[in-house]
Amino acid sequence: MRRKIAAALAVLFVILAFPAQAEGGFSRRVGSLEGKSFLAMYQAGEEADYWFEAGADTAFVQRMEKRIQSVEDLTGEMEPIDVFILRDSSLLMDRLAEPVFQDGALILTLALEEDCLPMLANACLREDARWVGEGVAYLVEYGEPDRNALKQGYSSEENLASLMMDDLCFLPSLRDAAAIELSRMTAADWWLRGGTEAPDRGAWLAGIGAGCEFAPPERALPDFSARATAQGEYDVHICTARAEYDIAMQESRQYTIVDEASLRDFLWHAESAMEQIAAYLAPYAAQGLADTSRTIAMNVDESRWEMASYTDMNGRITINYWPKDCLEHEITHAYTSTAFSETWMDEGLATWMENAVACEYQFVDEGRDVRLAWLRAAARGAAHMYSFDPLYVEYLAELLRLYQLGGGTLETLDPVAFLDARAILSLGYFNDLEGAVWYEVEQGTLKDIYGYEYGGVWYDFDGSELTYAGAGSLFAYLVRETSLEDALTAMRAPERFEEIFGGDYQAASSRWRSYLEETYRLEAPQEEETENPEETLAGMLGGVIDALEGLLIGEK
């Protein structure tokens, strides 16, 4: 109750301190966004209410009113919306990379105005599906799409990839400009035909008279004869030769496994990844350095997104959110982890495997390696999914520069150069680049994930300063120095680490850093100077005394 009274008094104080006053049609009002109150410059337009966190802009309001009127002319009458125009570095919500439709309002910055029409259409229609906003925006800008052009476009099997995702893949680095335009035309045509969900591919292709049919890739799926209703929190229990699955089905399309088709797709990827990783590790399994014969127990419940996915010492995999992010990584753990191995070696091996050996589920979408897509986008001066974020553009530009210094090309991904580049950006060599800090350094180290406190003491371990990318780069470097057999041996017999790698962890990581600095032409990061509190205090006191003496002398 006290907090509520205090909050009310604070708002009252702001209102009294900054009375509403008209300034070019604007007035000062207290706005609210995501539960936070702020003093705004407010104007009620005919089509929307505008809340400026910083200085008001009459011309912006006029341009936005015209855009909203264009959407309304196309779609029919609609209720006014709220438009929040935030500072570039707003305290009200995390930094905006692109316009956002949230809680019935459009949220953007002045810098994002040029790209706001699709999300504005979503806001006007109170519609979350991205394809709807993109389709309506296309109709506003260009009118009804040419159906002959659509028919011709989809008579090429190559262009069917544009229909492989529910959002029609508008991300600029995953499709070239022509493919994105085809996707927007597709969305516009589907909306005009009364589509309420993402296009039913077969029906839509038939509707425009395309010269080819949509046919999902043929896959040898596991035997479903063992399927049964699972007990407790899981809905499905499936046994195959390689694994035993307990899977919770989800209701929302934001998840991976929601119906029979998506369940079978996940199982195909899981079985394929296990087969691929087991084949790669087979020579080492014969030497007792991996256990690829075990039946993996896998629990999948994507709704537990607040928990990390993990693999226990018995090889049981628990996936708590979006399997695409971690499936190959966790399968590697299930086949190779022991109670003796160092954390950084466990994570380094799994990170290397998911980048270089079995990467299809995580990094390949319809035959396109998304990591190459990021790098190619950087070569064009663009970003990936954060397509309007200048910090992500900055980050990708430096990632590309380092990747190419390591010998990587844009034709085929070089996993060594890719992991090295990410590791470098996480190690403090470029802390003056805010994009590198935001997208790599602040992703967390192994200590952030594995470090634990007991009795007020933090227990540390070798490699704790590494990120996953850093551990993968170091592991790959040591394998190149010796062999994968040696690295797997050191994981199972840590007492042999110094014998195998010619020194302890500090010596090995020092050689690795020297390799990075030489190969990628780096200067060792400088340690920040820390001020001595006593010296600082003494200096402050000395300054005060000098000032007082000056005053006294002046009075004389």
Side-chain angles (χ1 to χ4, degrees):
M1 178 61 73
R2 289 180 180 176
R3 289 183 178 179
K4 290 182 178 179
I5 294 173
L9 289 173
V11 172
L12 179 61
F13 171 77
V14 170
I15 293 173
L16 293 175
F18 302 95
Q21 47 186 303
E23 295 181 11
F26 289 88
S27 61
R28 295 187 185 277
R29 289 198 185 181
V30 175
S32 179
L33 182 63
E34 290 201 322
K36 299 174 184 177
S37 297
F38 67 103
L39 186 65
M41 294 299 291
Y42 168 82
Q43 183 175 114
E46 293 185 10
E47 307 294 343
D49 291 336
Y50 299 89
W51 304 82
F52 286 82
E53 185 185 9
D57 187 331
T58 302
F60 173 91
V61 171
Q62 293 171 347
R63 293 191 298 271
M64 194 63 70
E65 289 279 296
K66 289 181 180 179
R67 291 188 182 100
I68 298 174
Q69 185 61 56
S70 297
V71 174
E72 191 174 51
D73 290 344
L74 176 70
T75 62
E77 292 290 330
M78 60 188 66
E79 296 180 8
I81 63 172
D82 283 310
V83 179
F84 290 91
I85 305 92
L86 306 184
R87 303 175 190 269
D88 288 335
S89 300
S90 175
L91 297 177
L92 296 173
M93 61 188 304
D94 289 338
R95 185 168 44 79
L96 286 176
E98 61 180 349
V100 172
F101 165 51
Q102 179 176 304
D103 298 329
L106 176 69
I107 306 168
L108 74 164
T109 65
L110 290 175
L112 298 175
E113 179 190 356
E114 191 174 324
D115 303 296
C116 77
L117 187 55
M119 204 55 66
L120 175 63
N122 281 111
C124 291
L125 297 171
R126 270 51 171 197
E127 172 60 64
D128 291 320
R130 182 165 184 167
W131 74 268
V132 174
E134 293 283 356
V136 170
Y138 181 91
L139 292 169
V140 168
E141 290 181 290
Y142 305 109
E144 187 172 335
D146 183 344
R147 286 179 176 164
N148 285 328
L150 281 170
K151 177 179 178 179
Q152 183 177 356
Y154 285 111
S155 293
S156 163
E157 290 188 7
E158 224 174 273
N159 288 333
L160 282 177
S162 298
L163 285 177
M164 295 299 281
M165 294 184 179
D166 284 346
D167 65 1
L168 294 174
C169 205
F170 299 106
L171 305 183
S173 63
L174 289 184
R175 301 287 184 265
D176 58 29
I180 293 172
E181 189 74 359
L182 190 61
S183 291
R184 297 187 76 206
M185 291 171 65
T186 303
D189 187 69
W190 187 251
W191 188 82
L192 286 175
R193 290 171 182 269
T196 56
E197 296 183 358
D200 176 277
R201 294 152 185 146
W204 185 77
L205 288 168
I208 64 169
C212 58
E213 297 180 356
F214 172 76
E218 294 185 7
R219 292 169 172 171
L221 293 167
D223 180 14
F224 276 71
S225 61
R227 175 173 176 171
T229 301
Q231 299 297 315
E233 59 194 301
Y234 298 101
D235 302 307
V236 177
H237 179 80
I238 297 174
C239 293
T240 70
R242 294 188 179 277
E244 185 171 343
Y245 303 87
D246 284 295
I247 299 174
M249 306 290 284
Q250 307 300 325
E251 296 181 356
S252 170
R253 284 283 169 186
Q254 66 179 303
Y255 296 107
T256 303
I257 307 173
V258 296
D259 53 21
E260 181 79 13
S262 56
L263 172 66
R264 295 173 74 87
D265 184 70
F266 165 75
L267 287 170
W268 183 87
H269 280 292
E271 295 285 311
S272 176
M274 282 184 277
E275 181 180 0
Q276 195 172 5
I277 293 170
Y280 184 81
L281 293 173
Y284 313 103
Q287 302 173 53
L289 300 177
D291 184 0
T292 57
S293 62
R294 72 185 343 167
T295 299
I296 294 178
M298 191 179 301
N299 298 340
V300 184
D301 183 352
E302 298 175 80
S303 67
R304 299 181 300 197
W305 54 268
E306 71 280 0
M307 300 171 61
S309 298
Y310 62 90
T311 302
D312 65 23
M313 287 298 103
N314 297 317
R316 175 180 292 275
I317 297 173
T318 299
I319 294 177
N320 292 320
Y321 189 64
W322 217 34
K324 195 172 177 65
D325 263 356
C326 64
L327 182 66
E328 291 118 337
H329 187 101
E330 299 303 334
I331 290 171
T332 301
H333 281 321
Y335 284 150
T336 60
S337 292
T338 74
F340 312 107
S341 55
E342 294 283 350
T343 299
W344 74 265
M345 293 197 78
D346 269 342
E347 297 301 347
L349 169 61
T351 301
W352 170 250
M353 292 285 283
E354 70 180 346
N355 273 275
V357 177
C359 58
E360 283 79 6
Y361 192 35
Q362 182 171 1
F363 291 122
V364 177
D365 279 326
E366 306 308 328
R368 291 176 171 87
D369 190 314
V370 296
R371 295 165 297 179
L372 276 175
W374 302 337
L375 295 168
R376 289 168 182 162
R380 300 195 304 269
H384 175 46
M385 62 183 65
Y386 303 99
S387 52
F388 307 113
D389 186 350
L391 291 190
Y392 201 65
V393 173
E394 176 190 76
Y395 163 71
L396 281 181
E398 194 57 39
L399 185 71
L400 173 64
R401 187 184 72 82
L402 292 168
Y403 172 78
Q404 291 178 324
L405 278 175
T409 73
L410 296 181
E411 301 304 317
T412 304
L413 187 96
D414 182 333
V416 171
F418 185 78
L419 274 179
D420 282 352
R422 286 196 58 201
I424 290 166
L425 292 173
S426 74
L427 289 171
Y429 289 94
F430 295 94
N431 278 353
D432 56 328
L433 293 179
E434 192 176 350
V437 173
W438 184 271
Y439 287 104
E440 205 67 69
V441 177
E442 293 190 358
Q443 297 307 303
T445 64
L446 296 182
K447 182 174 181 178
D448 294 329
I449 298 163
Y450 284 95
Y452 62 94
E453 190 177 11
Y454 182 76
V457 177
W458 275 98
Y459 282 79
D460 211 340
F461 53 89
D462 285 342
S464 63
E465 78 284 359
L466 299 173
T467 59
Y468 281 85
S473 172
L474 174 54
F475 187 90
Y477 169 77
L478 294 178
V479 167
R480 294 196 302 275
E481 270 198 337
T482 55
S483 67
L484 181 55
E485 179 183 341
D486 285 336
L488 291 171
T489 299
M491 288 175 64
R492 292 181 173 262
E495 69 278 2
R496 295 191 57 195
F497 186 95
E498 293 189 22
E499 169 200 339
I500 291 171
F501 296 119
D504 60 9
Y505 167 78
Q506 294 300 330
S509 63
S510 178
R511 294 198 307 275
W512 168 62
R513 281 188 177 248
S514 295
Y515 147 76
L516 292 178
E517 289 169 6
E518 180 179 345
T519 303
Y520 296 89
R521 306 171 196 171
L522 307 172
E523 293 184 6
Q526 300 295 318
E527 293 186 8
E528 295 183 9
E529 294 184 6
T530 56
E531 294 181 336
N532 185 320
E534 293 182 2
E535 291 179 359
T536 303
L537 180 59
M540 291 174 60
L541 290 174
V544 172
I545 292 170
D546 289 343
L548 289 173
E549 286 180 350
L551 288 173
L552 291 172
I553 293 171
E555 288 178 359
K556 291 179 182 179

